[in-house]
Amino acid sequence: MTAVPAARRALIAAVHTAKKAHGLDDDPSRDMLEARTGRRSAAECSDAELRLVLDHLNGAKSPSARKAADSPTAKKARELWLSL
């Protein structure tokens, strides 16, 4: 058995923690993993695939997908924040 680098162990642990936080049991989590990566085990995934799964579980969106609030109060709050 080969040693697994600490960074990889941390990624796998983060995936398992996120799955638990979302209440995914074994079969549903494996189905989700397979849908995203084509593999049924986190240990079989590459680091990039693990990050993809983490982004999916954490609901990551691209920064451009966020719409800035445009109410007068939000605009004033943004102006004050930027002036700091």
Side-chain angles (χ1 to χ4, degrees), residues 74-84:
K75 287 179 181 179
K76 185 63 175 180
R78 190 177 310 111
E79 289 172 10
L80 290 171
W81 178 259
L82 292 174
S83 70
L84 291 175

Side-chain angles (χ1 to χ4, degrees), residues 11-73:
L11 274 174
I12 292 171
V15 168
H16 288 294
T17 302
K19 289 190 304 187
K20 186 176 180 180
H22 288 290
L24 291 175
D25 292 333
D26 191 47
D27 285 335
S29 69
R30 288 184 188 275
D31 292 342
M32 179 275 307
L33 194 65
E34 186 174 26
R36 298 282 173 248
T37 66
R39 303 167 199 266
R40 294 204 42 94
S41 172
E44 295 173 354
C45 295
S46 67
D47 290 355
E49 290 170 334
L50 290 172
R51 287 186 193 95
L52 179 72
V53 170
L54 271 176
D55 288 345
H56 169 72
L57 288 170
N58 294 329
K61 295 181 180 178
S62 63
S64 62
R66 286 182 57 191
K67 183 182 174 197
D70 57 356
S71 70
T73 306

